[in-house]
Amino acid sequence: MRITEMALSETYVGNPLVEKYLRTKNVPTKTCTGCGIGIIENFVLNAMLELDLTHEDVVFAMGVGCTSRQVFATFKGDNVDALHGRAIPVVTAMKLVKPHLKFVVFTGDGDLAAIGNNHFVHAARRNVDMTVIMMNNMNYASTSGQHAPTTPMGMVLQTTPYGNDEPMYDVCGVAVAAGGTFVARHTVLQSRPTINSIKKAIQNVGFSFIEILMPCPTYLGRYALKSSDAVACLLWIKELARTGEYKTGVLHEATRAEFSDLKRQTIEKAQAGRSAEGPAVIMS
Amino acid sequence: MTASAPEKEAKVREGRVFFQQGNFAIVEGAIAAGCRFMAGYPITPATEIAEMMSRRLPEVGGYYVQFEDELGSIHAVCGASLAGAKAMTATSGPGFSLFHDGYSYAIKNEIPLVVVDSQRVGPANGISAHIGCGEFYSARYVTHGGNYETIVLAPNSVQEAFYLTIDAFNLAEIFRTPVTLLTDKVISDMRETLVIPPIENIRCVNRISPPRDQAFINFPLGTSQINYPMQVVGEHCGGLGVCVAPYTHTPMGYAKEDFETQEAMSYRLINKIRDHRDLILRYEKIVDGDEDLILVSYGAVSRSAKTAMAQARQQGMKIGFIRLISLWPFPEELFTWDTRYLVCEMVYEGQLVREVERAAPDRRKVHFLGKSVELFRPSEIVARIKEVFGQ
């Protein structure tokens, strides 16, 4: 069966997780051959299955870019796709209004580390209970291969014809420094450690951040690695992790008061003080 | 809903009486309307709204969050509303420019919310603590892309700021769209009598959610239906759950970038407001039918204009008065009479005057008086009236 036929078929079953968690009409998506997004989505579904979570327990949020386009509306349950870089403030507010829910944010490196960086840093500082999964393909692939803050120095892409002259952004380092309470970094080749990290991140009551390096044969492969072969990209990623140039594993774990809990404490404080001081206007 | 402010004031004489700021009235109006989430960012002259909300919202079980910037604020308000809370944010011109990002998201995805813009002198930071009303058009064309209509309300007193804030929340729910309360430095900061009626006398429109686990079309494209239910995040109402996309969407909320979907979605956003503009239209009009000139204004300027009208009438001139309370959709029907119009505005280039020129039968009879930084003295307006008559 061709991909397009599969996409139109309602009875497509490629994986038992699909039946349980996905809107079968909307999968498979239109990712390029060799893209890592599907692999990472699979990790998340596995983590949910192992944690015994249903689609009613988790709200999925996204931004703009390859990541968001491919995962949006694939999940049963709530799919909130925000504007470029803005998934985190949207989720911050939703967490206050619906504190019993778990929130998973799918974002790309451009979406989070560039345009959404300010929100990311402050959500980590506030320790808002959400799991942010940054799928790092080291470039803006949705717009066909421009350099991102996560692009290694010297790399040739569509906007760095003479080689990237900007230093690379250590996003995990910033997540730790800003106050995130679970920070991990993996590659798509490390399935079990990544699933374990996603489970820990979802269970952590606070701001969890996982960076997952994934292949982009279509743009990063073609322009920077001079090969759009998916396996070549994966081998390059594997080598980065093996040599320690790209440090993987759980980088930081901590326990700290969570944002929505603190906000509810504020409400209790305000309501306790209400009788003593008296509000400006009494409302029911 | 088209009752003018004085009629409304007459209805409520009982209630608690305050001598307070416009910003206070906006805060209490929001709380009375059921607002339980505010994302703020300090900016003169809207700062007091953030300050007072940070105290009042927790008292009523709501949340105030001060975001890292106005971009964070407007998107957080979208998130809170998607999750079922009535939500608002408040700013002035420089922050309003940053709202354009999230405002488009809220318009497209039919998310009810309220934005308060207390106008000050611009462009850029201008003069922070002085009046200027340069967001007449930018409140209408609040974001890129076109294909939408907006609802904008403008109070001219502290009491009216209270009622219009409640109206703004109600209209947002009725139309499932963001509503801008376009006030200005003078109304925000000045103090006058405010009567807050008992809560049971205030009519609030609350969110309607579709039933749980039943297939539901969240976006009725191709219709102009209002009072339409809205899927809420986390409540699994309407079957599979909410889908909200940044791209052009299908009735189910799925992203679909094609001509037919774009056309259906655009006409939904435009017609739901155009077809029910009578619910939005609000104005104050003092016209007897024999006037030689009608003063046109909105917001704080209308207070100078009204006094100027009284002074000119005392001097024997036949002067009328039109004050817009709802600015957008623009009330063309107020300007069908073929007479002279003098539009007074707190900008030098003239914005409202262009719309009046468009609506009036003879644009050569539409005149303009512009100023910035300081409100008109009534004598300045009377002098301009004489000048127009001398022409």
Side-chain angles (χ1 to χ4, degrees):
Chain A
M1 208 192 289
R2 294 207 325 270
I3 296 286
T4 44
E5 286 165 4
M6 290 201 298
L8 292 170
S9 158
E10 282 185 52
T11 53
Y12 168 74
V13 183
N15 183 322
L17 292 169
V18 171
E19 289 280 278
K20 187 168 167 62
Y21 290 116
L22 299 185
R23 298 184 186 223
T24 48
K25 272 186 185 177
N26 296 1
V27 288
T29 61
K30 291 175 276 182
T31 48
C32 307
T33 308
C35 176
I37 291 170
I39 305 171
I40 297 168
E41 187 167 346
N42 184 301
F43 292 163
V44 173
L45 298 185
N46 272 294
M48 281 176 66
L49 186 73
E50 289 174 23
L51 291 174
D52 204 19
L53 293 171
T54 73
H55 68 272
E56 301 208 346
D57 304 321
V58 182
V59 174
F60 300 96
M62 309 90 194
V64 163
C66 276
T67 304
S68 320
R69 253 189 207 251
Q70 301 308 331
V71 303
F72 170 65
T74 57
F75 300 101
K76 284 178 187 168
D78 299 319
N79 294 254
V80 179
D81 195 354
L83 290 189
H84 201 14
R86 316 291 172 218
I88 287 176
V90 170
V91 169
T92 302
M94 290 198 297
K95 179 67 193 174
L96 286 179
V97 183
K98 292 278 187 285
H100 62 286
L101 294 171
K102 286 284 176 188
F103 292 87
V104 176
V105 177
F106 291 96
T107 177
D109 47 322
D111 195 54
L112 182 109
I115 194 166
N117 186 66
N118 201 17
H119 309 309
F120 154 65
V121 168
H122 286 281
R125 171 180 68 82
R126 294 185 179 111
N127 199 29
V128 188
D129 183 18
M130 65 172 92
T131 299
V132 177
I133 296 175
M134 185 183 89
M135 304 191 191
N136 185 1
N137 57 10
M138 295 184 167
N139 78 112
Y140 285 86
S142 178
T143 47
S144 71
Q146 296 75 32
H147 78 290
T150 43
T151 305
M153 269 192 111
M155 201 173 251
V156 173
L157 282 166
Q158 293 292 66
T159 44
T160 51
Y162 307 106
N164 183 18
D165 47 13
E166 293 183 22
M168 197 172 151
Y169 185 12
D170 175 12
V171 190
C172 285
V174 171
V176 175
T181 43
F182 180 86
V183 181
R185 193 195 270 137
H186 295 284
T187 74
V188 281
L189 290 155
Q190 306 168 333
S191 63
R192 182 38 58 187
T194 313
I195 293 169
N196 287 345
S197 280
I198 295 170
K199 282 164 70 180
K200 278 188 188 168
I202 292 175
Q203 283 175 311
N204 174 37
V205 181
F207 189 83
S208 309
F209 178 75
I210 304 176
E211 175 184 351
I212 306 174
L213 189 61
M214 66 171 192
C216 174
T218 308
Y219 295 112
L220 196 92
R222 181 169 16 146
Y223 298 128
L225 309 177
K226 305 298 172 206
S227 162
S228 44
D229 177 46
V231 178
C233 285
L234 285 169
L235 289 173
W236 179 73
I237 287 172
K238 190 179 180 186
E239 193 60 14
L240 279 182
R242 191 190 62 78
T243 56
E245 202 178 322
Y246 189 82
K247 195 183 164 201
T248 59
V250 175
L251 305 177
H252 181 69
E253 275 182 286
T255 311
R256 203 154 64 80
E258 196 270 329
F259 171 72
S260 63
D261 283 341
L262 291 171
K263 285 285 174 192
R264 274 190 298 282
Q265 285 174 27
T266 302
I267 290 177
E268 282 163 24
K269 230 184 269 177
Q271 291 183 339
R274 196 170 142 156
S275 52
E277 203 179 312
V281 185
I282 296 159
M283 294 291 173
S284 57
Chain B
M1 292 189 77
T2 50
S4 66
E7 286 170 40
K8 269 187 180 168
E9 279 175 39
K11 279 186 202 159
V12 232
R13 277 294 163 218
E14 68 206 64
R16 298 187 63 181
V17 182
F18 297 86
F19 182 66
Q20 262 293 1
Q21 281 189 308
N23 283 342
F24 175 91
I26 290 167
V27 165
E28 291 305 328
I31 301 273
C35 174
R36 291 298 177 267
F37 181 91
M38 171 162 173
Y41 191 88
I43 183 166
T44 307
T47 308
E48 291 90 348
I49 299 176
E51 287 178 354
M52 289 186 260
M53 279 300 235
S54 70
R55 177 174 289 273
R56 289 289 284 128
L57 276 172
E59 284 180 355
V60 295
Y63 299 98
Y64 170 80
V65 186
Q66 192 157 300
F67 270 82
E68 45 277 9
D69 54 19
E70 284 90 348
L71 292 164
S73 293
I74 187 78
H75 287 279
V77 169
C78 290
S81 186
L82 282 170
K86 288 192 185 181
M88 71 173 281
T89 178
T91 191
S92 185
F96 196 59
S97 332
L98 296 182
F99 282 172
H100 294 193
D101 187 50
Y103 210 114
S104 66
Y105 184 72
I107 289 175
K108 192 199 76 79
N109 288 315
E110 306 196 31
I111 304 172
L113 53 92
V114 172
V115 168
V116 179
D117 176 16
S118 181
Q119 299 173 97
R120 69 191 217 192
V121 184
N125 266 19
I127 304 171
S128 56
H130 290 272
I131 186 173
C133 296
E135 274 107 85
F136 175 76
Y137 274 126
S138 100
R140 163 62 184 91
Y141 299 102
V142 61
T143 182
H144 61 275
N147 302 319
Y148 60 86
E149 287 279 351
T150 45
I151 303 176
V152 182
L153 307 174
N156 88 331
S157 69
V158 171
Q159 185 68 57
E160 197 177 64
F162 176 80
Y163 282 118
L164 275 189
T165 305
I166 297 168
D167 283 3
F169 275 96
N170 289 347
L171 290 172
E173 295 296 331
I174 291 169
F175 286 88
R176 261 183 70 179
T177 195
V179 174
T180 303
L181 185 76
L182 193 65
T183 179
D184 52 58
K185 191 266 166 199
V186 170
I187 303 299
S188 271
D189 277 357
M190 73 174 188
R191 284 166 191 265
E192 58 183 7
T193 306
L194 168 69
V195 182
I196 296 187
I199 184 83
E200 57 272 18
N201 292 1
I202 293 171
R203 191 178 77 95
C204 290
V205 178
N206 291 321
R207 189 79 50 90
I208 320 164
S209 294
R212 194 189 153 94
D213 296 331
Q214 249 179 50
F216 175 72
I217 289 168
N218 200 19
F219 302 101
L221 307 190
T223 79
S224 60
Q225 208 177 329
I226 54 169
N227 288 311
Y228 192 79
M230 175 176 165
Q231 276 184 318
V232 174
V233 166
E235 292 185 2
H236 315 289
C237 41
L240 282 176
V242 188
C243 271
V244 190
Y247 299 97
T248 294
H249 57 245
T250 66
M252 298 304 287
Y254 297 149
K256 193 171 185 197
E257 295 164 75
D258 69 8
F259 170 78
E260 287 82 10
T261 316
Q262 175 62 33
E263 190 187 23
M265 191 191 79
S266 304
Y267 277 115
R268 160 84 189 140
L269 301 180
I270 294 166
N271 287 343
K272 71 174 175 181
I273 292 175
R274 280 193 188 166
D275 290 356
H276 304 96
R277 60 200 300 281
D278 55 314
L279 291 179
I280 304 162
L281 185 67
R282 288 157 171 76
Y283 58 88
E284 185 185 351
K285 189 173 169 184
I286 306 171
V287 175
D288 302 326
D290 62 343
E291 278 82 3
D292 297 317
L293 182 144
I294 295 173
L295 292 170
V296 183
S297 55
Y298 75 93
V301 180
S302 65
R303 299 168 74 101
S304 305
K306 205 171 185 177
T307 310
M309 177 199 69
Q311 289 180 1
R313 282 185 169 189
Q314 272 175 2
Q315 294 174 32
M317 291 180 268
K318 288 179 177 170
I319 304 296
F321 172 82
I322 289 176
R323 169 170 78 91
L324 305 189
I325 301 173
S326 62
L327 303 184
W328 298 102
F330 189 74
E332 284 95 354
E333 57 267 51
L334 296 181
F335 304 100
T336 48
W337 186 29
D338 190 5
T339 184
R340 291 190 194 88
Y341 295 96
L342 173 58
V343 183
C344 306
E345 279 187 85
M346 276 289 124
V347 278
Y348 290 121
E349 86 278 21
Q351 297 188 7
L352 172 60
V353 64
R354 298 184 199 195
E355 285 305 303
V356 178
E357 277 175 354
R358 189 174 62 77
D362 186 354
R363 62 179 297 157
R364 288 169 302 180
K365 293 187 189 168
V366 178
H367 304 271
F368 174 67
L369 178 61
K371 199 179 175 181
S372 209
V373 179
E374 193 184 75
L375 211 54
F376 292 106
R377 287 178 178 80
S379 58
E380 291 175 286
I381 298 175
V382 174
R384 179 75 179 120
I385 293 170
K386 288 177 180 165
E387 206 177 287
V388 169
F389 284 146
Q391 274 170 8

